[in-house]
Amino acid sequence: MSLVANTGKLAGRTLFITGASRGIGKAIALKAAKDGANVVVAAKTAEPHPKLPGTIYTAAEEIEALGGKALPCIVDVRDEKQIQKAIDEAVKKFNGIDILVNNASAISLTGTAETDMKRYDLMHNINTRGTFLASKLCLPLLKESNHAHILNLSPPLNMNPYWFSLHVAYTMAKYGMSMCVLGMSEEFRQFNIGVNALWPKTAIATAAIEMLTGDTSSSRKPEIVSDAAYVMLSKDPKSYTGKFEIDEDVVKSVGINDLTPYACDPKNANNLLLDGFLDDPASLLHHQQTVSSASVRRYHTTSANYKDKSEPSGQIPELFSVINKTITPELVKKTQAVFQFNVKGKEEGIWHLDLKNGDGACGQGEPKHAPDATLTMDSSNFADMFAGKLKPTTAFMMGKLKIKGDMQKAMKLEKMMKSLKAKV
């Protein structure tokens, strides 16, 4: 379900897309095909996979059925000769390359002890080295184009140590792709080549995810990523470069505000599984609560937010760090209340949220101004409450939350949390 209209800006352009036989890579290819673009389908799958649909040849057929032109090429991005051969064939058939999409990737969400070196090498050779190599080999042709783009499907560089701790090998491999964006965007600026990154806000339903989990009901369709990619690749590369974009933000920037059609299950449109690497309260809490269960961990990233080692650790300090960024004068004006949180249990401590005075404030310790409401609860319930899994009213009625002071202002927390979540 594509919501972004095709404008024809990619008509006649040649895209070299790695990993384009299925999933997000193929979705980007099909979106470009509607403009009449040429697509080099550079992927390993020449023979049908026993469990995953799609080959370079079936993808090529779909591209041409939509009005594009396709060149299926067997390419393992670890093999320099295979990439070069595909580039040479693209030059023969399409007279050049305008756009490189580095989509091919390998994933293993394992800790250090559980990551065997064969898998480590695979991730680094495909993700980081493959991206670097494809960019290097396409560079001479991109220099000749008047609409040259490199788009990496990789996360914004987020220096929060938490995301490294979960699967340091995978994080390093994906961040390698992002560092290519950081460096090459500046290096290639003189050649008018736009180099950018794109990453999904939520889990994306691909055949691989479906095979691994058996469930895509809490995911979005690949079309939200391909729509975002289309918007990015249609921009002027001379001025649009060095960006780390999130799919949801990109499609919203062109007026797509109702994202429900992108949801695999419209009933879950407001309860989707968030991708990793996002310093978002719900995302952080979801992943922290499921870190021990590999079967439900599926991640990805967002922008730089380095947390100094001297800062308190734990999910509640992390949560308040994020909330602090979302406080606005409008939120203060709407709420007009000071809250004190007496947290018990594993992360015992006192925290405050002042949405009444000045520009608002939050952090550890008692508030500077007298609290309108003091809420006492266990740290695990507190986390659930701010993740949207436990409503304050429900928590109060279940005895999980004790409230002292102005009850009405305390119950404003529900509206406030919705507002915070929308602005994160």
Side-chain angles (χ1 to χ4, degrees):
M1 170 61 73
S2 175
L3 301 183
V4 172
N6 278 69
T7 60
K9 286 187 178 177
L10 300 185
R13 299 294 181 186
T14 298
L15 291 80
F16 189 105
I17 306 177
T18 67
S21 60
R22 61 175 71 97
I24 289 170
K26 188 179 81 168
I28 294 172
L30 296 179
K31 182 66 178 173
K34 291 177 185 175
D35 266 7
N38 310 315
V39 182
V40 181
V41 183
K44 288 194 302 177
T45 313
E47 299 295 327
H49 188 282
K51 294 182 180 177
L52 298 174
T55 67
I56 57 174
Y57 305 112
T58 58
E61 287 173 6
E62 290 183 58
I63 289 164
E64 298 199 332
L66 289 173
K69 293 179 181 176
L71 174 64
C73 295
I74 300 171
V75 174
D76 181 336
V77 294
R78 295 172 292 178
D79 190 323
E80 185 170 355
K81 289 180 180 176
Q82 287 187 20
I83 298 175
Q84 189 60 59
K85 183 182 178 185
I87 290 171
D88 293 342
E89 289 180 17
V91 172
K92 284 179 187 174
K93 184 164 184 175
F94 301 130
N95 299 315
I97 293 172
D98 300 290
I99 294 167
L100 167 64
V101 178
N102 287 305
N103 168 70
S105 190
I107 181 171
S108 180
L109 303 176
T110 47
T112 301
E114 296 76 32
T115 305
D116 64 76
M117 294 314 293
K118 184 178 180 182
R119 193 70 190 177
Y120 176 97
D121 289 343
L122 179 73
M123 287 192 286
H124 282 74
N125 286 336
I126 291 177
N127 301 3
T128 303
R129 185 179 182 276
T131 294
F132 182 91
L133 180 57
S135 302
K136 170 186 166 70
L137 296 181
C138 284
L139 181 59
L141 295 168
L142 294 173
K143 285 181 181 179
E144 294 175 10
S145 171
N146 62 0
H147 189 81
H149 280 276
I150 297 175
L151 178 64
N152 294 354
L153 272 295
S154 68
L157 290 164
N158 183 349
M159 293 295 108
N160 184 340
Y162 175 75
W163 296 113
F164 285 83
S165 70
L166 299 175
H167 34 62
V168 65
Y170 174 65
T171 301
M172 288 165 64
K174 289 305 289 187
Y175 278 18
M177 296 175 71
S178 300
M179 285 191 284
C180 285
V181 171
L182 193 65
M184 292 177 188
S185 62
E186 199 59 35
E187 182 186 0
F188 300 165
R189 191 184 294 272
Q190 61 182 312
F191 308 122
N192 296 321
I193 301 171
V195 187
N196 300 290
L198 174 61
W199 197 243
K201 176 73 178 283
T202 69
I204 300 298
T206 61
I209 288 292
E210 192 167 7
M211 183 185 77
L212 288 169
T213 66
D215 179 30
T216 57
S217 62
S218 296
S219 304
R220 282 181 176 150
K221 300 167 187 173
E223 282 75 15
I224 187 171
V225 186
S226 59
D227 276 1
Y230 180 80
V231 171
M232 295 172 73
L233 296 173
S234 296
K235 290 181 182 287
D236 183 353
K238 295 182 187 68
S239 55
Y240 186 71
T241 190
K243 306 292 185 184
F244 291 86
E245 304 281 23
I246 304 300
D247 58 354
E248 182 175 296
D249 297 337
V250 177
V251 297
K252 283 183 176 178
S253 74
V254 293
I256 309 299
N257 294 312
D258 181 7
L259 306 182
T260 304
Y262 288 124
C264 292
D265 183 349
K267 294 194 294 293
N268 287 336
N270 296 317
N271 190 33
L272 296 167
L273 176 66
L274 294 172
D275 246 324
F277 303 113
L278 294 164
D279 282 350
D280 165 308
S283 179
L284 282 166
L285 294 175
H286 166 80
H287 292 298
Q288 284 166 335
Q289 289 165 358
T290 59
V291 67
S292 62
S293 176
S295 64
V296 294
R297 286 190 297 160
R298 30 234 205 253
Y299 310 113
H300 296 317
T301 2
T302 279
S303 57
N305 177 27
Y306 178 75
K307 188 181 73 160
D308 190 84
K309 289 179 182 177
S310 63
E311 292 179 5
S313 61
Q315 61 183 9
I316 292 178
E318 192 70 59
L319 180 59
F320 271 89
S321 173
V322 177
I323 290 172
N324 187 51
K325 298 174 189 174
T326 69
I327 296 173
T328 63
E330 183 186 359
L331 190 60
V332 172
K333 188 177 178 182
K334 279 184 181 178
T335 311
Q336 283 297 291
V338 179
F339 304 99
Q340 178 173 317
F341 303 95
N342 295 335
V343 181
K344 306 296 182 183
K346 188 178 177 182
E347 291 191 50
E348 186 169 347
I350 296 174
W351 296 81
H352 67 271
L353 178 57
D354 185 341
L355 294 176
K356 187 177 185 179
N357 301 285
D359 294 328
C362 73
Q364 197 163 13
E366 295 183 2
K368 289 182 181 178
H369 302 274
D372 294 294
T374 299
L375 295 83
T376 303
M377 64 194 311
D378 186 82
S379 58
S380 61
N381 294 328
F382 183 89
D384 281 347
M385 192 168 76
F386 273 86
K389 296 179 181 178
L390 179 64
K391 290 184 178 180
T393 310
T394 307
F396 179 72
M397 293 177 71
M398 292 171 68
K400 293 181 177 181
L401 168 65
K402 293 179 181 177
I403 300 173
K404 182 181 176 183
D406 191 325
M407 186 71 70
Q408 282 188 321
K409 287 194 174 180
M411 288 306 147
K412 277 191 174 184
L413 274 173
E414 285 191 30
K415 285 186 179 179
M416 183 206 70
M417 284 173 193
K418 286 180 183 177
S419 179
L420 283 172
K421 191 173 180 182
K423 292 178 184 296
V424 170

